[in-house]
């Protein structure tokens, strides 16, 4: 069969990984795909570096339009990132009848609906395994491996930077700022780490997974997004004492009222497998009604792990390109005319358990007041940790773990608790998921 | 699009799960697949129970030939098991131009080459996600998700019964026989548990995974198979003290000389994620050259988890049926004309680390004699645990962990050590893998 001709937009970290893996494993890949897959053209503003990286074997251009308009190119790989020029180029490639492979989670989480619609009209595929959890084939598992299931929820460690920081904070008892600096020094965090540490990157990925799991349009603007910048070392320690770890999770859950879509630091039982995912690794738990819980683990970023996903998409497209378009795997797992309009719930409507840390006066009746307010709000207490006041102190920490309740209930109850004169202002509130 | 008509051979545990999940989730599945998938005919010797399970909505026959010969049936699901009648029926279905879905690992591990060849000649697909690790989409990950990679090794907990027994032995400090009886009482082990506890079931699955990972024909008869029946509680305890857990692993590793294909109890570092897979759960680690390590975890058996895999195969076939046959995913991941003839290594040629437990006389020079023999054989010692003799005893246990060596070297060295008068006969020898 004739080789598949690929055009590459952007030859940075993932682009060079894709070029190198395709070259190194070209025989093995061709033995699987039944044909060879060749990068025929590369567009990058830095043409000199692109020429160095490719060793002069490939046509290099600095205008990406030359790639998306080239009739010789079958598939365009978009690795530019962001919403701007990347979007234009993806839409142009689609308009020109080319299949697209992209690792651009931001683009799909925000403009996915428009892009997938354009692709459907032109009968081309847009593949994006690399957009979520790097080399872990989680999109494939959700879209194809678990098709039998009504998916109930997904919970994932889908940002390596923040998981590295949380692992280090726990391991070494250090605070966030110290560890962030170390992470930047080691290359686990970028110079501007905002998208990672504020949870935006994880929310892009959770948005995409929620769409695929439940058949809803991508709606990044409805996601609840909290990062780890305000997380204190003391809470990691108290959580540990109660048998929990704190992870930044991307969570998508189907309820009868709507879909929960949220990213925030979360206490999870230390005995769960996902609680033991350390360092920059990623892992996603998917709960299906037939299969039960399944977990997928691996490197969520990096040159060759992400390239692994990009190339898997190339082979998939090579295979499915000859199938009837309506028999291909739908972009968002469900047929475009069979999407659901289940709304995304505002965070106040979300149901979860809570970890509360209160600093209280060490005197009789304080705990009774607090538990009375929670009881009045219908919130049961699952566990409590009461610390002795430090030497010479008259105040102490109380940690409460609640059973499940709606966020609006806990907000109302904690406001009432904060109004008690015996309780210091600023209750620390973290969400807790049993993941069972 | 017109519905896919499915014929089911055998409506036992997995068959009834398949029927129930297809019925319960029919709308969700159709929204994904773009068409409905219907079980139109069921063959089972117990027609009465079959009628009960299906609620009288489906044609029930007691002769499976009526299903495989029915021109209305598009896909046949074989859930009879074993090598005999199941093989005949699968081949007949293929000869009649029907696609086949099977959970029969024994059949594929032994007769896969013949079956896949027949399927290829008739341009039909034989799908078998359910044959390995139940509901975990590991076949899909290996065949499609990781196509970019040169796969280096696979190590899996792929038998739930033995993992349950090992978890209980470690947790409660009990011996094998006691836990086996408990497992049988709880339904985790069958009345005749031989295939599970002797490692045969795991070896069937490892055989299939090795073929897909390395593009070699299925060769069950070349697999090295050891179960857990001889494992002693004391070794689980000593392993724990050295920072290791003992798991029954199915291992497939590519070396320049050939493929290692082996199932045996294995020490693995307790800190590895897979070491923390407890109870009847399954997990598989795959090491690819681009992606690094990835892990897949879930329920490896049971009615609905296995049904989840069977139905995913049905949807896959429905999708790929319209693609050019040469563009479909090859049965063993590699194109039939691009398979490798890399041999499977005899166990003596396998390279691994070892755990040795020796019972020795507590007198000077014994350890020097032992370590000298190992050094002469070129075997380095990685760790040692020396137990004090019990009160009134003159003998003690020594545990040695070695660096990697070939099995034949350790066999020769332990034979020499056993010939020492100070060492009791019967050195306990277990293999150890760092999985890094």
């Amino acid at each position: 069969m004739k080789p598949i001709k690929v055009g590459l937009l952007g030859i940075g970290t993932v682009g060079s990984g894709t070029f190198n893996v395709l070259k190194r494993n070209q025989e093995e890949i061709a033995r699987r795909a039944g044909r060879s897959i060749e990068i025929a053209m590369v567009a990058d503003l830095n043409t000199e570096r692109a020429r160095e990286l490719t060793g002069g074997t490939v046509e290099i251009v600095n205008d990406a339009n030359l790639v998306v308009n080239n009739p010789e190119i079958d598939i365009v790989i978009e690795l530019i990132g962001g919403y701007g020029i990347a979007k234009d180029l993806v839409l142009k490639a689609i308009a020109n009848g080319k299949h697209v492979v992209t690792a651009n989670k931001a683009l799909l989480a925000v403009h996915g609906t428009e892009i997938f619609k354009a692709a459907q009209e032109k009968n081309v595929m847009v593949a994006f395994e690399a957009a979520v959890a790097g080399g872990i084939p989680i999109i494939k598992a959700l879209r194809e491996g678990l098709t039998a299931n009504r998916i109930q929820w997904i919970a994932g460690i889908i940002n390596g930077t923040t998981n590295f920081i949380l692992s280090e904070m726990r391991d070494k008892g250090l605070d966030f700022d110290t560890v962030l600096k170390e992470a930047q020094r080691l290359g686990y965090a970028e110079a501007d780490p905002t998208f990672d540490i504020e949870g935006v990157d994880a929310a892009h990925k959770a948005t995409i997974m929620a769409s695929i799991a439940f058949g809803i349009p991508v709606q990044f603007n409805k996601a609840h997004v909290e990062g780890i910048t305000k997380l204190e070392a003391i809470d990691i320690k108290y959580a540990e004492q109660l048998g929990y770890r704190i992870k930044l999770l991307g969570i998508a859950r189907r309820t009868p009222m709507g879909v929960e879509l949220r990213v925030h630091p979360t206490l999870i039982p230390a005995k769960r497998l996902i609680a033991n995912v350390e360092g920059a690794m990623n892992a996603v738990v998917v709960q299906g009604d037939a299969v039960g819980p399944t977990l997928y683990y691996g490197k969520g970023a990096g040159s060759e792990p992400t390239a692994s996903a990009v190339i898997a998409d190339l082979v998939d497209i090579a295979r499915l390109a000859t199938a009837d378009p309506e028999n291909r795997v739908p972009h968002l797992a469900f047929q475009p005319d069979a999407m659901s309009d289940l709304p995304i719930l505002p965070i106040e409507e979300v149901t979860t358990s809570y970890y509360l840390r209160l600093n209280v006066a060490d005197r009789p009746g304080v705990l009774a007041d607090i538990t009375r307010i929670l009881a009045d709000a219908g919130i049961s207490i699952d566990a409590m940790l009461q610390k002795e006041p430090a030497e010479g102190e008259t105040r102490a920490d109380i940690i409460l773990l609640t059973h499940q309740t709606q966020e609006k209930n806990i907000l109302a109850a904690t406001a009432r608790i904060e109004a008690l004169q015996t309780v210091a202002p600023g209750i620390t509130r973290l969400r807790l998921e049993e993941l069972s």
Side-chain angles (χ1 to χ4, degrees), chain A:
Chain A
M1 273 187 283
K2 82 182 192 18
I4 295 279
K5 300 269 185 193
V6 177
L8 180 59
L9 309 185
I11 186 158
T13 306
V14 177
S16 58
T18 302
F19 183 85
N20 290 336
V21 173
L22 266 178
K23 194 172 157 192
R24 185 175 74 231
N25 292 347
Q26 60 182 341
E27 189 225 329
E28 189 111 351
I29 294 166
R31 284 174 55 210
R32 290 194 177 100
R35 62 172 75 182
S36 71
I37 295 175
E38 292 169 9
I39 293 189
M41 202 173 184
V42 173
D44 200 290
L45 293 179
N46 192 336
T47 51
E48 198 166 328
R49 200 197 42 173
R51 220 161 266 129
E52 247 170 62
L53 287 168
T54 56
T57 55
V58 176
E59 187 181 353
I60 309 287
V61 295
N62 71 0
D63 179 1
N65 287 296
L66 296 175
V67 176
V68 300
N69 293 329
N70 183 339
E72 300 287 306
I73 297 293
D74 304 304
I75 307 175
V76 170
I77 304 177
E78 183 274 304
L79 297 173
I80 294 168
Y83 313 104
I85 184 167
K87 185 185 169 196
D88 291 344
L89 289 166
V90 163
L91 289 173
K92 270 188 202 162
I94 291 169
N96 288 336
K98 296 184 195 316
H99 304 290
V100 173
V101 173
T102 177
N104 192 334
K105 57 222 78 166
L107 177 62
L108 295 180
V110 176
H111 300 292
T113 303
E114 180 184 351
I115 290 167
F116 298 137
K117 187 160 176 288
Q120 202 205 331
E121 280 165 8
K122 293 293 288 187
N123 278 339
V124 297
M125 289 173 265
V126 175
F128 50 92
E129 184 63 79
V132 181
I136 307 171
I138 182 67
I139 299 293
K140 185 169 278 287
L142 281 169
R143 277 205 311 202
E144 304 174 40
L146 304 177
T147 34
N149 292 268
R150 195 171 159 85
I151 291 171
Q152 295 160 320
W153 54 262
I154 297 175
I157 296 172
I158 44 183
N159 180 272
T161 303
T162 45
N163 202 55
F164 175 83
I165 292 173
L166 293 177
S167 295
E168 290 288 296
M169 285 176 74
R170 184 178 79 86
D171 238 31
K172 303 182 177 163
L174 297 172
D175 65 19
F176 173 78
D177 291 318
T178 311
V179 176
L180 173 61
K181 285 201 186 74
E182 187 203 349
Q184 286 174 315
R185 195 177 54 78
L186 293 170
Y188 286 116
E190 295 184 46
D192 177 0
T194 315
F195 261 38
D196 292 318
I197 63 178
E198 295 294 0
V200 178
D201 174 74
H204 285 146
K205 295 166 184 168
T207 298
I208 295 171
M209 288 199 291
S211 288
I212 291 175
F214 310 129
I216 56 174
V218 285
Q219 295 161 74
F220 172 69
N221 59 344
K222 303 243 178 87
H224 176 81
V225 189
E226 273 174 52
I228 61 167
T229 53
K230 287 174 202 145
L231 194 65
E232 295 180 50
I234 185 79
D235 294 308
I236 294 177
K237 204 175 108 194
Y238 286 156
E240 191 88 7
Q241 290 172 18
L242 288 157
Y244 292 82
R245 301 265 167 89
I246 300 182
K247 295 290 185 184
L248 183 71
L249 292 189
I251 297 171
R253 174 182 276 130
R254 167 148 58 181
T255 79
M257 273 80 62
V259 169
E260 298 181 0
L261 175 56
R262 47 194 171 102
V263 170
H264 51 69
T266 316
L267 277 80
I268 50 178
K271 66 184 174 201
R272 297 271 178 272
L273 209 55
I274 192 172
N276 296 285
V277 170
E278 301 292 352
M281 301 302 282
N282 282 18
V284 180
V285 180
V286 182
Q287 175 81 23
D289 69 337
V291 75
T294 55
L295 177 144
Y296 309 83
Y297 163 92
K299 289 183 182 163
S303 176
E304 294 207 352
T306 311
S308 173
V310 168
I311 297 168
D313 277 347
L314 294 177
V315 176
D316 264 7
I317 289 177
R319 282 176 178 154
L320 279 169
T322 64
D324 290 349
E326 71 265 32
N327 273 304
R328 294 174 188 157
V329 182
H331 289 112
L332 291 177
F334 291 78
Q335 300 290 327
D337 59 0
M339 297 289 280
S340 159
D341 57 2
L342 205 60
I344 301 209
L345 295 173
I347 189 69
E348 294 75 21
E349 306 288 323
V350 156
T351 300
T352 182
S353 302
Y354 292 88
Y355 161 105
L356 303 175
R357 171 163 59 86
L358 305 87
N359 189 261
V360 302
D362 185 36
R363 83 172 71 135
V366 174
L367 190 59
D369 291 343
I370 295 166
T371 50
R372 167 52 50 205
I373 291 173
L374 290 170
D376 286 348
I379 299 167
S380 330
I381 294 167
D382 185 45
M384 197 182 80
L385 185 66
Q386 187 162 9
K387 307 306 280 188
E388 290 297 305
E391 187 77 25
E393 292 273 346
T394 60
R395 304 188 68 85
D397 280 347
I398 291 180
I399 294 90
L400 298 169
L401 304 187
T402 77
H403 280 287
Q404 290 201 337
T405 187
Q406 270 197 318
E407 179 109 349
K408 60 186 170 196
N409 295 338
I410 204 87
L411 289 175
T414 50
R416 284 190 61 200
I417 292 170
E418 279 188 328
L420 295 172
Q421 291 196 340
T422 48
V423 175
I427 294 174
T428 298
R429 185 176 52 82
L430 293 166
R431 298 181 191 89
L432 182 156
E433 295 284 343
E434 290 293 335
L435 301 183
S436 61

